[in-house]
């Protein structure tokens, strides 16, 4: 599976689209709001910027994308007014993989520009807003050197650039049979392969951004992780455990070949805080300003009572739709499932998830990291940070 070509959130505005099923991601964005505000306040206060370069890495599509950039522009404008400075022009870059639904995103822009002009007074001199799409993998260079002032990424960096080496679908021996990610039953070689792929990817991400951000530039990253050093804990992988269970139920019904499940491994990794700090400190270009962890309900907290039959069904369906909007493109590419079989798979997944969450409210762990690009002429040593769990 070529992740760069295959991975994308479900397109359009239909019942299974990402635009209609990204409540959890919206919740995650809200958790990072204060940290984004702090980073922008410091950036705007310390530097008088005429033209501010801002990049959203892993932008996807839908209303979440534009809500974040609107918030960022509000903060910069308010800070500029407080400091009695001219509001900078905004150079906004939306990045995602080539198969992202950029068309749907761009179709939202006319209404966005109208809102900027009517509600915020942007679009007339001296303030300007210039938006561009930048397709490509963020595990490499995307922008010219020293061209960005602020970079942010939400719910994207847990995706790897590729399936870990040795776990590809074409591998001679399948090492993780019956599972689609790290599991309690996975051999150590599988765990090591995932860990090594994350280290290579994350270090390349940090290195690339260090060249694109100006000295003193800021970066806020938010993505799924885990509390424990042990990668097999429920908060780091259990949604994949339940998806594997749903897939194996289709194997028993003859709808999917067992070998197809054995050869599928998700290009995903939920790191712990220690792994993040090691790679950031090793690369050496950034200061860790904040590193915090938040617990997030699988359904975004929409269903309060999951102990009755209705609550169990509702939470299962909400989680299944959220996961489907994210992973369907990969499953479709690997398993070649028709729409009817895909519906059956996620109906079973919804039932399995509902049963699980009626017994225990397993939560995602979401990290939010705020980084400062070191000034080249100042010897600033990054200090290890404590992780605060909320």
């Amino acid at each position: 599976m070529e992740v760069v070509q295959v991975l994308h959130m479900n397109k359009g505005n239909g019942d299974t689209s990402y635009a209609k099923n990204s409540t959890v991601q919206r919740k995650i964005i809200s958790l990072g709001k204060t940290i984004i505000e702090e980073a922008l306040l410091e950036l705007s206060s310390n530097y008088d910027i005429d033209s501010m370069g801002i990049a959203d890495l892993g932008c996807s599509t839908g209303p979440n994308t534009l809500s974040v950039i609107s918030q960022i522009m509000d903060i910069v404008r308010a800070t500029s007014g407080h400091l009695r400075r001219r509001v900078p022009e905004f150079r906004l870059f939306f990045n995602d993989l080539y198969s992202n639904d950029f068309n749907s995103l761009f179709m939202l822009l006319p209404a966005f520009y109208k809102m900027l002009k009517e509600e915020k007074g942007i679009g007339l001199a001296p303030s300007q807003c210039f938006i561009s799409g930048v397709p490509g993998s963020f595990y490499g260079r995307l922008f010219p050197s020293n061209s960005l002032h602020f970079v942010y990424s939400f719910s994207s960096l847990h995706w790897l650039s590729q399936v870990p080496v040795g776990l590809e679908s074409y591998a001679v021996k399948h090492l993780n049979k019956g599972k689609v990610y790290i599991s309690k039953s996975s051999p150590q070689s599988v765990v090591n392969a995932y860990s090594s792929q994350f280290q290579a990817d994350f270090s390349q991400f940090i290195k690339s951004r260090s060249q694109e951000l100006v000295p003193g530039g800021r970066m806020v990253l938010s993505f799924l992780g885990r509390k424990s050093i042990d990668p097999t804990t429920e908060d780091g992988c259990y949604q994949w455990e339940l998806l594997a269970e749903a897939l194996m139920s289709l194997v028993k019904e003859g709808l999917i070949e067992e070998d197809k499940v054995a050869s599928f491994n998700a290009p995903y990794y939920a790191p712990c805080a220690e792994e993040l700090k090691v790679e950031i400190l090793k690369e050496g270009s950034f200061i860790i300003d904040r590193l915090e962890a938040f617990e997030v309900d699988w359904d975004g907290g929409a269903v309060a009572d999951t102990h009755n039959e209705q609550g169990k069904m509702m939470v299962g369906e909400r989680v299944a739709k959220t996961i489907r909007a994210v992973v369907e493109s990969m499953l479709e590419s690997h398993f070649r499932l028709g729409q009817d079989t895909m519906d059956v798979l996620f109906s079973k997944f919804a039932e399995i998830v509902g049963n699980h969450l009626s017994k225990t409210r397993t939560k995602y762990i979401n990290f939010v990291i705020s980084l400062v690009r070191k000034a080249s002429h100042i010897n600033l040593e990054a200090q290890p940070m404590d992780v605060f769990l909320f």
Side-chain angles (χ1 to χ4, degrees):
M1 176 171 57
E2 292 291 337
V3 174
V4 172
Q5 297 176 2
V6 171
L7 178 61
H8 62 79
M9 307 300 102
N10 276 1
K11 301 179 180 182
N13 291 286
D15 187 53
T16 62
S17 68
Y18 180 80
K20 291 284 182 66
N21 296 284
S22 50
T23 303
V24 174
Q25 290 84 350
R26 192 176 308 123
K27 174 68 174 178
I28 287 171
I29 288 170
S30 71
L31 294 175
K33 183 176 181 179
T34 300
I35 295 176
I36 280 185
E37 185 172 355
E38 290 177 358
L40 286 167
L41 284 172
E42 290 192 27
L43 176 64
S44 298
S45 298
N46 294 333
Y47 300 92
D48 189 359
I49 303 169
D50 293 326
S51 180
M52 182 176 285
I54 302 171
D56 177 350
L57 304 185
C59 64
S60 189
T61 188
N64 289 349
T65 305
L66 297 181
S67 70
V68 179
I69 201 64
S70 179
Q71 172 198 336
I72 288 171
M73 295 170 75
D74 284 345
I75 295 168
V76 174
R77 281 171 54 80
T79 305
S80 298
H82 178 72
L83 297 173
R84 297 187 178 182
R85 292 176 180 168
R86 184 173 67 87
V87 178
E89 66 179 18
F90 296 96
R91 293 177 287 111
L92 311 176
F93 303 100
F94 292 131
N95 157 259
D96 213 312
L97 295 177
Y98 303 104
S99 54
N100 181 58
D101 191 3
F102 283 105
N103 284 341
S104 291
L105 175 59
F106 294 154
M107 288 299 292
L108 298 174
L109 291 181
F112 180 70
Y113 284 130
K114 183 178 180 181
M115 181 271 295
L116 292 181
K117 186 174 181 178
E118 294 180 353
E119 297 181 15
K120 305 179 188 298
I122 298 175
L124 300 174
S127 297
Q128 296 289 338
C129 172
F130 306 96
I131 295 179
S132 303
V134 183
S137 172
F138 51 47
Y139 291 121
R141 289 290 301 274
L142 292 165
F143 306 98
S145 299
N146 298 314
S147 61
L148 300 176
H149 298 87
F150 186 72
V151 170
Y152 64 96
S153 178
F154 281 93
S155 302
S156 295
L157 275 163
H158 41 250
W159 295 111
L160 301 172
S161 67
Q162 63 177 64
V163 174
V165 176
L167 302 181
E168 303 93 343
S169 59
Y170 54 79
V172 175
K173 183 178 181 181
H174 302 315
L175 304 175
N176 204 27
K177 291 184 178 180
K179 305 298 178 182
V180 298
Y181 180 61
I182 297 170
S183 171
K184 292 284 188 186
S185 63
S186 298
Q188 189 60 42
S189 59
V190 170
V191 176
N192 293 344
Y194 269 103
S195 178
S196 296
Q197 187 63 52
F198 168 76
Q199 291 170 17
D201 283 347
F202 193 63
S203 63
Q204 186 59 47
F205 176 89
I206 295 294
K207 180 180 179 181
S208 297
R209 305 295 84 76
S210 73
Q211 297 172 57
E212 296 164 350
L213 275 162
V214 300
R218 304 293 300 237
M219 182 159 63
V220 175
L221 311 174
S222 176
F223 52 97
L224 298 180
R226 64 181 195 273
K227 289 184 287 187
S228 173
I229 295 176
D230 179 8
T232 67
T233 53
E234 284 195 2
D235 61 17
C237 67
Y238 209 66
Q239 71 274 26
W240 295 107
E241 189 80 9
L242 301 184
L243 182 58
E245 185 179 334
L247 286 165
M248 290 305 294
S249 72
L250 265 63
V251 170
K252 292 178 182 177
E253 295 181 16
L255 297 175
I256 293 177
E257 296 177 11
E258 186 171 4
D259 189 60
K260 279 289 188 179
V261 179
S263 63
F264 179 81
N265 287 284
Y268 170 95
Y269 187 73
C272 63
E274 288 75 12
E275 290 174 294
L276 299 176
K277 289 187 284 189
V278 164
E279 296 306 322
I280 293 168
L281 296 174
K282 186 192 301 182
E283 196 280 331
S285 297
F286 289 92
I287 301 165
I288 303 176
D289 184 42
R290 291 183 67 174
L291 173 51
E292 298 185 3
F294 299 88
E295 291 185 340
V296 182
D297 287 307
W298 282 12
D299 68 331
V303 182
D305 185 3
T306 59
H307 295 96
N308 57 57
E309 286 303 314
Q310 183 181 14
K312 185 193 300 185
M313 181 184 69
M314 287 176 61
V315 74
E317 289 179 351
R318 287 185 69 92
V319 173
K321 282 189 173 183
T322 300
I323 298 294
R324 180 173 182 170
V326 173
V327 306
E328 185 167 5
S329 64
M330 292 186 296
L331 297 180
E332 188 175 41
S333 173
H334 180 81
F335 292 99
R336 303 297 181 185
L337 301 181
Q339 192 65 43
D340 290 344
T341 307
M342 192 72 75
D343 290 343
V344 171
L345 170 63
F346 280 98
S347 177
K348 290 184 178 295
F349 182 58
E351 182 180 352
I352 292 168
V353 169
N355 287 331
H356 171 73
L357 292 179
S358 69
K359 301 170 186 174
T360 176
R361 289 304 291 254
T362 307
K363 298 178 186 292
Y364 295 126
I365 298 300
N366 191 81
F367 287 119
V368 182
I369 313 170
S370 182
L371 302 173
V372 185
R373 174 70 171 89
K374 291 181 183 179
S376 56
H377 62 284
I378 300 176
N379 184 20
L380 297 174
E381 292 298 325
Q383 298 298 320
M385 298 287 292
D386 294 327
V387 180
F388 298 96
L389 178 63
F390 293 84

